[in-house]
Amino acid sequence: MTSTQNEPITIFSAKKIITMNAAQPEATHVAVQGGRILAVGDEAEVRSWCKDEVKIDDRYADQVLMPGLIEGHSHLHEGVVWRYVYLGYYDRRGPDGTLWEGLKSIEAVIERLKEANTQSTDQEVLVGWGFDPIYFGERRMTVKDLDQVSTTRPIVIMHASMHLMNINSVMLQKANIDRFTDTDGVVKSDDGEPTGELQEFAAMFPVTKYIGNPFRTLGMAPESLQNFANICRIAGVTTATDLVNELSEEGISSLSKVTGEDDFPVRIVPAASGMLFGNDVDACLKTLDELSPMGHDKLHLGLVKLIVDGSIQGFTARVRWPGYYNGAPNGIWVVAPDDLDNIVMKYHQAGIQLHIHTNGDEATEAAIDALEAAITAHPRPDHRHTLQHCQMADVAQYRRMAKLGLCVNLFSNHIFYWGDAHYTMTMGPERANRMNSCRTALDHGVPLAMHSDAPITPLGPLFTAWCAVNRVTASGRQLGEYEKITVPEALYAITQGAAYTLSLDHLVGSIEVGKYADFCVLEQDPLAVPAEELKDVKVLDTVIGGRSTQQ
């Protein structure tokens, strides 16, 4: 950070400031100089720092300030997906304010696609997203379904998890996928023909090779970045991740330029896609080193993301005995355990902080094993390796995490959106009740963050906190009451907790001297409303570096 001593000072006043700083939990005034926090306290304490004339900003005098919220696991293609056809089960609002109604049957999905096929004729491939067949029982989408939409235009439907897709017969042909394709994840019917469902990245690769990867590449385009930033701003988020980034020079250059603009309202933390580099760890390290000069105070580079397994609701996550509740076969290793051991060892030895996707408890065990071997061989204080999602971890696994100094970033939104399916179909009652075990993590001293994985679920940390506090599914089922956490604990997880997992807690996550002046402005005090109303607290503004995003 550069010196700001000669820059003007602004004092913000508020009805209440929730600082997330244990040494000073509350305040009424905060002084900002050069985008950083100069002083926090009551009016007299803050003014004592100001020797010269200062600007008093009382626009928030009747409102509540807390640190800018942090989305610790999201993806920039949240700003891209709205170019395509939304096919999700739940209502969803786009960045332009349009409300897309959720679709309650595969037949309704086909009808929306038919309508889109007649309207969006400017693209060679018709792309949809957000689809999830788990809500439709045993019914799965097939080639025959999508061929009702078109037998001449390629169609690609991304599932909500982004770990599966469905394609029509035209796309099967163009991707050269047929009965003789033996790639793991190419689903086939009893007669040996592909059904059009492709599970995980190896199976989907021929399709993404043909159409490109618009969700990833377009996410770095200025228009998409502005869409993403607008979604963050509305949700009170001032720091957000892109937790799988291909690190192309062109893309990072665009990201650096756009985020560096004065009025860009969010700090971005991209993580390199370890999957893209595979076993070639040296190539990833070299790329990170070459691109590091493009980083700045609103673009923080250096993390690496690994993906071990798939999606629980897609039945591609790796789970331990007794397996899936409905008898489905076990999932797919995106990275096999032996390869994972070697890859983790190399990144850890190089000093990289890893964020590792594990959904099933078997995948979590493999990740912990790999990390334990690396940490034992090359002890490194404060490594902050973080398990992402980590939905089915049990108490014994949390004990191991604590011993190794690991962090977790739990997908609490999953409780609402897929909790019922996990209870009745994928995991069964006992394991579903322990999913996303925030209470267990905290009780065992494992640093905790929580996330939306946007666009998998809508970006909104207050909703995510509500999920962890109330643990209520979409049907109203109480899921694992003993895993509830308190409102203060949940708010900490979406601010200082998330900042810790990103190794940015010295810069963001609390309102205290020296940190960036990033604030979330709320209509109500989230600590005072009933816990069940936490998700309804209105975000009125966000402030980044002392600058209102509404200016």
Side-chain angles (χ1 to χ4, degrees):
M1 292 182 179
T2 58
S3 174
T4 61
Q5 292 181 353
N6 296 322
E7 297 189 32
I9 297 171
T10 298
I11 295 177
F12 292 93
S13 66
K15 181 168 64 176
K16 179 180 180 180
I17 298 175
I18 303 169
T19 68
M20 289 299 160
N21 175 11
Q24 186 183 30
E26 295 183 13
T28 57
H29 291 72
V30 55
V32 176
Q33 185 176 40
R36 297 166 60 186
I37 297 169
L38 175 66
V40 186
D42 60 28
E43 183 175 7
E45 291 169 333
V46 169
R47 278 186 175 273
S48 70
W49 271 92
C50 309
K51 310 305 180 185
D52 302 317
E53 185 176 346
V54 298
K55 175 184 177 183
I56 305 298
D57 193 327
D58 60 0
R59 75 182 80 183
Y60 309 128
D62 296 324
Q63 294 152 9
V64 176
L65 262 63
M66 65 179 294
L69 307 183
I70 299 175
E71 178 48 80
H73 188 141
S74 58
H75 302 276
L76 288 177
H77 62 271
E78 166 70 24
V80 178
V81 291
W82 301 100
R83 295 171 180 244
Y84 306 110
V85 189
Y86 176 63
L87 303 173
Y89 185 81
Y90 293 96
D91 293 353
R92 191 84 175 252
R93 193 174 297 278
D96 63 353
T98 300
L99 180 66
W100 292 77
E101 291 187 5
L103 303 174
K104 306 306 182 185
S105 68
I106 289 181
E107 289 68 31
V109 170
I110 298 306
E111 288 306 310
R112 181 168 288 177
L113 285 169
K114 287 180 178 178
E115 180 181 358
N117 188 48
T118 62
Q119 295 177 352
S120 58
T121 58
D122 57 327
Q123 299 171 336
E124 178 198 358
V125 181
L126 178 61
V127 178
W129 68 283
F131 173 70
D132 196 334
I134 201 167
Y135 299 116
F136 310 131
E138 299 300 318
R139 173 88 155 90
R140 306 293 286 191
M141 181 179 282
T142 68
V143 170
K144 291 182 180 178
D145 291 316
L146 291 181
D147 280 355
Q148 294 178 45
V149 180
S150 179
T151 56
T152 59
R153 184 184 188 184
I155 302 174
V156 177
I157 307 303
M158 292 300 304
H159 286 215
S161 68
M162 294 286 179
H163 283 262
L164 296 88
M165 68 169 56
N166 279 88
I167 58 177
N168 66 345
S169 58
V170 181
M171 193 67 251
L172 278 173
Q173 294 168 8
K174 291 184 179 295
N176 293 315
I177 297 173
D178 57 26
R179 65 181 300 114
F180 302 106
T181 303
D182 61 359
T183 304
D184 195 14
V186 176
V187 180
K188 296 179 181 178
S189 58
D190 292 340
D191 63 4
E193 293 294 332
T195 66
E197 182 174 306
L198 307 176
Q199 301 177 348
E200 295 305 327
F201 304 104
M204 296 188 291
F205 176 74
V207 177
T208 55
K209 182 180 179 181
Y210 179 85
I211 69 172
N213 194 343
F215 295 109
R216 302 282 182 221
T217 56
L218 290 177
M220 312 293 270
E223 179 186 354
S224 299
L225 290 172
Q226 292 295 344
N227 277 343
F228 179 80
N230 190 46
I231 292 167
C232 289
R233 183 187 60 77
I234 292 169
V237 170
T238 56
T239 299
T241 53
D242 181 34
L243 223 55
V244 173
N245 194 289
E246 296 182 353
L247 293 189
S248 71
E249 184 175 357
E250 180 182 2
I252 296 298
S253 178
S254 172
L255 186 58
S256 179
K257 180 179 179 181
V258 174
T259 57
E261 294 172 359
D262 288 343
D263 60 352
F264 193 78
V266 61
R267 305 183 197 278
I268 302 294
V269 187
S273 171
M275 182 176 60
L276 178 67
F277 292 94
N279 290 315
D280 195 351
V281 171
D282 289 340
C284 183
L285 296 174
K286 180 181 178 183
T287 301
L288 281 170
D289 185 61
E290 291 173 346
L291 296 178
S292 63
M294 295 187 190
H296 49 70
D297 65 351
K298 286 196 283 186
L299 178 62
H300 297 267
L301 300 162
L303 305 180
V304 172
K305 166 80 174 292
L306 303 177
I307 300 176
V308 180
D309 68 340
S311 154
I312 294 176
Q313 66 270 22
F315 300 98
T316 60
R318 294 290 305 192
V319 298
R320 296 187 297 191
W321 186 88
Y324 283 102
Y325 190 51
N326 68 349
N330 208 348
I332 295 172
W333 290 111
V334 176
V335 178
D338 288 345
D339 289 334
L340 182 67
D341 291 344
N342 295 328
I343 292 169
V344 167
M345 183 72 73
K346 291 177 181 177
Y347 280 120
H348 174 78
Q349 190 174 5
I352 293 294
Q353 183 188 358
L354 290 170
H355 287 251
I356 304 179
H357 163 123
T358 72
N359 264 315
D361 48 7
E362 185 181 21
T364 294
E365 191 80 1
I368 295 174
D369 287 346
L371 288 164
E372 182 174 37
I375 293 166
T376 302
H378 304 283
R380 197 178 105 206
D382 202 27
H383 52 74
R384 304 196 197 183
H385 297 313
T386 301
L387 299 182
Q388 295 283 341
H389 304 328
C390 200
Q391 292 192 62
M392 299 314 305
D394 63 16
V395 174
Q397 290 175 327
Y398 278 106
R399 291 193 190 103
R400 292 185 67 194
M401 293 180 217
K403 180 181 177 181
L404 294 169
L406 305 181
C407 310
V408 290
N409 188 358
L410 298 181
F411 195 173
S412 295
N413 286 19
H414 223 99
I415 297 166
F416 179 83
Y417 287 104
W418 288 286
D420 289 316
H422 288 351
Y423 190 95
T424 61
M425 191 181 304
T426 66
M427 292 289 98
E430 189 276 335
R431 287 181 295 172
N433 274 307
R434 80 165 188 244
M435 66 183 288
N436 296 291
S437 305
C438 294
R439 177 80 275 144
T440 298
L442 291 178
D443 286 352
H444 285 80
V446 178
L448 171 70
M450 304 181 302
H451 64 269
S452 69
D453 201 10
I456 311 309
T457 67
L459 189 151
L462 289 176
F463 176 82
T464 300
W466 174 87
C467 288
V469 168
N470 294 279
R471 294 188 66 88
V472 175
T473 70
S475 72
R477 185 195 306 273
Q478 180 72 68
L479 197 63
E481 183 172 4
Y482 53 83
E483 285 294 351
K484 287 181 177 179
I485 60 175
T486 67
V487 172
E489 289 169 334
L491 295 180
Y492 189 91
I494 58 173
T495 53
Q496 190 77 333
Y500 184 87
T501 67
L502 299 175
S503 295
L504 292 176
D505 53 309
H506 60 300
L507 298 174
V508 296
S510 62
I511 299 177
E512 57 182 301
V513 175
K515 293 191 176 184
Y516 293 137
D518 296 353
F519 314 135
C520 172
V521 184
L522 303 174
E523 184 176 50
Q524 299 165 283
D525 181 354
L527 296 172
V529 301
E532 60 270 20
E533 297 177 14
L534 180 59
K535 64 181 174 59
D536 301 317
V537 174
K538 283 187 178 181
V539 175
L540 301 178
D541 195 4
T542 58
V543 176
I544 186 163
R547 177 180 180 142
S548 166
T549 62
Q550 293 185 350
Q551 288 181 344

